[in-house]
Amino acid sequence: MALRTALLVALLEGESSGYDLAKAFDTTMANFWSATPQQLYRELERLAADGLVEARLVEQERRPTKRVFRLTEAGENAIRAFTRSRPKASVIRDDLLVQVQAVDAGDMTCVAGAIAHQIDLSRNKLARYERRRERFLQGGTEADFLARAERIGPYLALLRGIHFENENIRWGTTALAAIQARSGE
Amino acid sequence: MALRTALLVALLEGESSGYDLAKAFDTTMANFWSATPQQLYRELERLAADGLVEARLVEQERRPTKRVFRLTEAGENAIRAFTRSRPKASVIRDDLLVQVQAVDAGDMTCVAGAIAHQIDLSRNKLARYERRRERFLQGGTEADFLARAERIGPYLALLRGIHFENENIRWGTTALAAIQARSGE
DNA sequence: GGAGCATACTCAACAAGTTGACTATAGGAG
DNA sequence: CTCCTATAGTCAACTTGTTGAGTATGCTCC
């Protein structure tokens, strides 16, 4: 039942269609919540049935009609209630780390390749995050932003993504060097 | 089908019962793979049915008899094959970050409490990881260990956990300060 | 003018993960 | 002598998450 709240929280950014949410999830929430589009559509149905979101049809000029969803008051209350609950322990499942754990019994070259690839992905993510961060800050300092902005949650969550990807790159570099030294290339 | 490989990799440490694996998962794999005991028992059944692990009963002195599982050659081959496959994108689901994203529309004091709690947990984990690290190094340097150890995978995976928890603490401290400054104390 | 791509979904089937209750043995606390 | 804890599991029901296919509109590219 936790995808529910992740979806509700995503709708804090304003009303949005399932399709848009699916994309937004990829960019803004992907750091701390993964979900496929199918999950979102299904859960939005349920949220609407439970009255936490409201749907309305929007006809568009040169595109298919879409259904946009908006938080109801009940939805906002659910978010408040959620922030008062103890967060469940986070879930992580990372194939790459399983490969690393098994590296000595496996194919070192391939695992090294996988780490290198991961470093690349992290660099790209980091670049996107930094751009997003600059849009938040608009030339000011972080301290300024945190003191004055209307909402700081999305910025703080983004900051975590930045820290995370930085660490990914740092760790990856160390691990890659160690494995390459081993496999004797 | 990826819990399979995580389990096989856990069995690289030596034969072990489902119960032991459940605990080992908590300490050594929990950094990058979460699973409940029930999942492990069920998956071990399947692995045994598929011939990737072998089970045997071990009677004990003052405890219930247990079934210990050991990798078969087929299991070792499966691990090798896995390290050659492209790792699937990692999955993360973190309630705490959802709360942070929603902090402006929620209960700031509670979210701050949740972050503080998380920092505590991370410090504890970190302490445990550092102790494990020292057992690996046995007084030597990291470079030495990485050059000479029989297996470096478990150490590198542990290192990632250490980096991760360090970052957790650093980010949490920043986020906590920002939120507390906001909620006005 | 057909192929592919982006938008905007729906449906069905299956796989994976979670929860709670239950069975047993044995040790120690009070 | 009962309760609590740790070991060592099993079973069933349920919820979530994943995958693949299918529908429909309209744009652009060649």
Side-chain angles (χ1 to χ4, degrees):
Chain A
M1 296 302 261
L3 172 59
R4 312 211 97 190
T5 50
L7 254 173
L8 291 174
V9 169
L11 283 172
L12 279 175
E13 308 294 323
E15 65 173 8
S16 150
S17 69
Y19 191 84
D20 292 335
L21 278 168
K23 283 189 300 178
F25 244 69
D26 254 18
T27 57
T28 61
M29 314 277 282
N31 252 319
F32 51 90
W33 207 273
S34 356
T36 61
Q38 307 313 316
Q39 273 180 277
L40 302 192
Y41 283 121
R42 182 165 55 179
E43 197 61 40
L44 281 168
E45 262 341 293
R46 289 178 194 160
L47 286 167
D50 295 350
L52 302 185
V53 304
E54 262 171 8
R56 68 191 172 90
L57 289 175
V58 175
E59 308 213 5
Q60 298 178 100
E61 286 284 296
R62 319 173 169 278
R63 288 176 188 181
T65 300
K66 64 181 176 181
R67 280 176 85 198
V68 300
F69 297 86
R70 181 178 36 196
L71 282 174
T72 62
E73 212 170 307
E76 282 168 24
N77 289 338
I79 291 178
R80 237 184 319 277
F82 168 67
T83 61
R84 292 202 181 100
S85 71
R86 158 148 313 182
K88 290 207 301 181
S90 74
V91 167
I92 187 165
R93 294 198 175 95
D94 191 340
D95 258 21
L96 178 63
L97 266 285
V98 178
Q99 289 195 350
V100 168
Q101 175 91 20
V103 72
D104 309 284
D107 184 322
M108 287 215 167
T109 314
C110 284
V111 176
I115 295 175
H117 186 239
Q118 180 55 55
I119 291 177
D120 250 36
L121 291 181
S122 288
R123 276 204 241 274
N124 286 337
K125 270 196 194 176
L126 193 54
R128 264 185 290 124
Y129 291 164
E130 289 289 5
R131 280 196 295 278
R132 223 179 131 224
R133 181 190 199 171
E134 272 156 36
R135 279 202 300 282
F136 271 120
L137 297 182
Q138 300 196 329
T141 67
E142 181 171 296
D144 235 51
F145 177 86
L146 289 173
R148 287 191 239 290
E150 251 181 71
R151 294 177 60 203
I152 60 173
Y155 180 82
L156 292 175
L158 174 66
L159 213 51
R160 216 285 195 108
I162 291 175
H163 281 230
F164 180 71
E165 297 304 342
N166 263 319
E167 239 7 83
N168 246 348
I169 294 168
R170 292 240 305 266
W171 169 83
T173 308
T174 304
L176 190 56
I179 291 173
Q180 282 176 338
R182 273 311 185 99
S183 63
E185 57 10 294
Chain B
M1 298 301 262
L3 172 59
R4 311 211 101 187
T5 51
L7 253 173
L8 291 174
V9 169
L11 283 171
L12 280 174
E13 308 295 323
E15 66 174 8
S16 151
S17 68
Y19 191 85
D20 291 335
L21 277 169
K23 282 189 300 178
F25 244 69
D26 254 18
T27 58
T28 62
M29 315 277 282
N31 253 319
F32 51 90
W33 206 274
S34 354
T36 61
Q38 306 313 315
Q39 274 179 277
L40 303 192
Y41 283 121
R42 183 167 53 181
E43 197 61 40
L44 281 168
E45 260 343 291
R46 291 180 193 157
L47 286 167
D50 295 349
L52 302 185
V53 305
E54 263 172 8
R56 68 190 173 90
L57 288 174
V58 175
E59 309 213 4
Q60 299 178 100
E61 285 285 296
R62 318 172 169 279
R63 290 176 187 182
T65 300
K66 63 183 176 180
R67 280 177 83 200
V68 300
F69 297 87
R70 181 177 36 197
L71 281 175
T72 62
E73 213 169 309
E76 281 167 25
N77 289 337
I79 291 177
R80 237 183 320 277
F82 167 67
T83 61
R84 292 201 181 100
S85 70
R86 157 147 314 181
K88 290 207 302 180
S90 75
V91 167
I92 187 166
R93 294 197 175 93
D94 190 341
D95 257 22
L96 178 63
L97 265 286
V98 178
Q99 289 195 351
V100 168
Q101 175 90 20
V103 71
D104 310 282
D107 186 320
M108 288 215 166
T109 314
C110 285
V111 176
I115 296 175
H117 187 240
Q118 180 55 56
I119 291 176
D120 249 37
L121 291 182
S122 287
R123 275 204 241 275
N124 286 338
K125 271 197 193 174
L126 194 54
R128 264 185 290 125
Y129 291 163
E130 290 288 6
R131 279 197 295 276
R132 222 178 132 225
R133 181 191 200 173
E134 271 155 39
R135 279 202 300 281
F136 271 120
L137 296 183
Q138 299 196 331
T141 66
E142 181 171 295
D144 235 50
F145 177 85
L146 288 174
R148 289 192 237 289
E150 252 181 73
R151 294 177 60 204
I152 60 174
Y155 181 82
L156 292 175
L158 174 66
L159 212 51
R160 215 283 196 114
I162 292 176
H163 281 231
F164 181 72
E165 296 303 342
N166 263 319
E167 240 5 84
N168 246 349
I169 294 168
R170 292 241 304 267
W171 169 83
T173 308
T174 304
L176 191 55
I179 291 172
Q180 283 176 337
R182 273 309 186 100
S183 63
E185 41 18 290

